[in-house]
Amino acid sequence: MQMSYAIRCAFYQLLLAALMLVAMLQLLYLSLLSGLHGQEEQDQYFEFFPPSPRSVDQVKAQLRTALASGGVLDASGDYRVYRGLLKTTMDPNDVILATHASVDNLLHLSGLLERWEGPLSVSVFAATKEEAQLATVLAYALSSHCPDMRARVAMHLVCPSRYEAAVPDPREPGEFALLRSCQEVFDKLARVAQPGINYALGTNVSYPNNLLRNLAREGANYALVIDVDMVPSEGLWRGLREMLDQSNQWGGTALVVPAFEIRRARRMPMSKTELLQLYQVGEVRPFYYGLCTPCQAPTNYSRWVNLPEESLLRPAYVVPWQDPWEPFYVAGGKVPTFDERFRQYGFNRISQACELHVAGFDFEVLNEGFLVHKGFKEALKFHPQKEAENQHNKILYRQFKQELKAKYPNSPRRC
């Protein structure tokens, strides 16, 4: 009997020691894991233990928190900014697609989500109190019914400072309460929206495009900043990720994505082969071809369309910046922000490209990727107030170039 009792005691002691050993090994593993350095090890870990996707309730709670804050005023005091109505987790080495839109133009998000496989950030401008309410209801509906929105999209809201956005009441979100799928939300938006040009809002409020651009790319390392009615070529995000992951030599380089515009947007070209077929018959042409040819001409479209076909995305040739080139590009590091004094229409992107050049960035055109704008850009007749603002931007641009001389006194480059 005593022998049996001794055996049992020894067994329990051995079991307890084994459990303690397992616990110590687990603690050691967690300690080693917390000290992992290098993207490769982290990627391997998350391959086996992926982070849990955020629930609808978590996303709605974030929306309520962002709106309850009351927002913050921008530097000018003219606009109220609500950051993070929707948030997304992002690899610091990822490439984010940053865009901006009026509320009516949010319907373009559906096409962007289909083409861009990576994270997307959109800044929304609501010119009136009613639009601000619609924007919050839309964010609520999209976060409820669109898994891609919850997983990959960050959304911010800007409205005139005299307005405050309100948390949507789930009992009274209008007709959006009856919707049951992501497609239904976009279909409903298409019926109620009046899409058009962001800066032709029909109000006395100026569209703060550069404030919206800065907000959308905030916190990103690499970003491609585009207009919301543009569509990237298929696989562009993946090609950029592979290229950037293979080398760290792209600091100080702006990787230019050639931009085009299509006459009819019923079917957007996916590959360069499809694009060139439409280009040859005049259905596709260089961006701004009929509005400001010099604004895109340095891209050297004749050279680009004659490049040999390749499977891998890479820089094909270097282009020196010249005024008034305003390319769409991917760049990381200390990228100058957009000057938020430029509003409405005119010189808002040229000014940032100009500073990028003076700051020492080089421009290299990518061989395969591209952007396509929906519809041909044509000359517009502005309301007298808008035309006056365009002239104001022209004067501001001259002043801006003088300011760059003081900001970069040692730079040999000038605009």
Side-chain angles (χ1 to χ4, degrees):
M1 187 73 175
Q2 290 179 347
M3 180 66 68
S4 175
Y5 176 77
I7 292 174
R8 286 200 300 272
C9 285
F11 172 76
Y12 287 131
Q13 288 174 349
L14 182 62
L15 179 62
L16 181 61
L19 290 173
M20 291 179 65
L21 179 61
V22 170
M24 290 175 64
L25 287 173
Q26 287 180 331
L27 288 172
L28 178 62
Y29 172 72
L30 291 173
S31 175
L32 290 172
L33 183 62
S34 66
L36 281 178
H37 297 288
Q39 192 61 41
E40 183 178 350
E41 290 87 350
Q42 293 182 37
D43 288 345
Q44 289 175 349
Y45 173 74
F46 286 118
E47 181 179 351
F48 293 100
F49 304 100
S52 301
R54 293 174 301 157
S55 68
V56 173
D57 289 340
Q58 287 175 317
V59 175
K60 289 180 178 178
Q62 169 61 34
L63 173 63
R64 288 192 290 269
T65 300
L67 291 171
S69 70
V72 296
L73 297 183
D74 78 318
S76 71
D78 294 335
Y79 301 97
R80 189 176 300 276
V81 177
Y82 294 88
R83 287 179 169 82
L85 265 64
L86 301 179
K87 285 187 174 182
T88 181
T89 54
M90 187 177 65
D91 179 340
N93 294 317
D94 214 332
V95 183
I96 192 166
L97 187 70
T99 189
H100 57 97
S102 59
V103 177
D104 286 335
N105 280 324
L106 276 176
L107 56 88
H108 292 292
L109 273 183
S110 178
L112 289 178
L113 283 168
E114 289 178 8
R115 283 290 181 90
W116 186 261
E117 301 169 283
L120 192 153
S121 178
V122 57
S123 298
V124 184
F125 180 63
T128 66
K129 188 175 182 178
E130 291 74 22
E131 286 187 359
Q133 181 63 18
L134 176 59
T136 61
V137 169
L138 274 172
Y140 192 90
L142 290 168
S143 65
S144 298
H145 300 301
C146 303
D148 262 357
M149 290 288 295
R150 291 197 298 273
R152 296 198 284 127
V153 176
M155 181 181 290
H156 316 282
L157 177 64
V158 175
C159 58
S161 57
R162 60 182 178 274
Y163 302 134
E164 287 194 26
V167 178
D169 187 339
R171 296 168 299 179
E172 295 185 26
E175 297 179 43
F176 283 89
L178 305 176
L179 305 179
R180 292 293 178 265
S181 72
C182 187
Q183 188 59 52
E184 287 185 7
V185 176
F186 280 109
D187 289 345
K188 177 63 180 177
L189 177 58
R191 290 194 295 272
V192 302
Q194 296 179 339
I197 301 169
N198 283 327
Y199 48 79
L201 297 174
T203 69
N204 291 325
V205 179
S206 296
Y207 185 80
N209 35 35
N210 278 358
L211 168 62
L212 296 168
R213 289 183 177 112
N214 286 336
L215 189 59
R217 81 176 312 279
E218 195 172 75
N221 185 9
Y222 289 98
L224 173 58
V225 183
I226 69 170
D227 296 338
V228 75
D229 51 359
M230 305 182 91
V231 177
S233 53
E234 188 176 43
L236 180 58
W237 171 78
R238 189 170 298 277
L240 286 167
R241 276 303 307 260
E242 290 174 354
M243 186 180 70
L244 294 171
D245 287 346
Q246 289 173 2
S247 174
N248 59 0
Q249 71 182 55
W250 307 117
T253 301
L255 300 166
V256 176
V257 184
F260 296 82
E261 52 191 35
I262 189 168
R263 188 191 306 274
R264 301 175 185 86
R266 289 193 298 269
R267 174 172 166 74
M268 304 296 285
M270 302 172 70
S271 66
K272 186 173 180 178
T273 300
E274 291 182 16
L275 178 83
L276 294 182
Q277 290 172 348
L278 294 169
Y279 185 85
Q280 290 167 359
V281 297
E283 287 297 306
V284 163
R285 67 186 188 184
F287 187 59
Y288 264 32
Y289 183 81
L291 190 61
C292 179
T293 303
C295 293
Q296 295 297 321
T299 303
N300 198 342
Y301 287 93
S302 61
R303 181 175 180 179
W304 188 84
V305 300
N306 288 299
L307 290 173
E309 184 178 349
E310 297 184 71
S311 58
L312 295 178
L313 188 68
R314 66 170 184 83
Y317 52 91
V318 177
V319 177
W321 185 86
Q322 54 185 289
D323 203 358
W325 190 28
E326 47 178 27
F328 296 92
Y329 64 87
V330 176
K334 296 181 179 179
V335 178
T337 58
F338 292 86
D339 192 309
E340 296 176 8
R341 294 174 295 175
F342 291 91
R343 302 175 185 176
Q344 206 62 25
Y345 177 78
F347 303 93
N348 47 80
R349 287 198 307 110
I350 297 173
S351 55
Q352 199 261 358
C354 165
E355 181 170 359
L356 201 67
H357 164 68
V358 175
F361 280 75
D362 295 319
F363 295 82
E364 299 190 29
V365 181
L366 294 173
N367 60 338
E368 292 291 323
F370 58 86
L371 298 167
V372 180
H373 177 269
K374 299 175 182 177
F376 280 176
K377 286 272 194 179
E378 303 291 355
L380 299 170
K381 292 183 179 179
F382 294 111
H383 184 279
Q385 178 188 349
K386 310 299 184 185
E387 181 61 34
E389 197 151 18
N390 184 38
Q391 291 302 313
H392 166 75
N393 284 352
K394 187 175 183 178
I395 297 170
L396 178 59
Y397 183 50
R398 296 196 194 105
Q399 174 187 332
F400 175 82
K401 289 192 286 186
Q402 293 300 315
E403 292 170 352
L404 290 183
K405 294 179 181 180
K407 187 174 182 179
Y408 301 93
N410 297 322
S411 173
R413 298 179 175 185
R414 292 291 178 258
C415 294

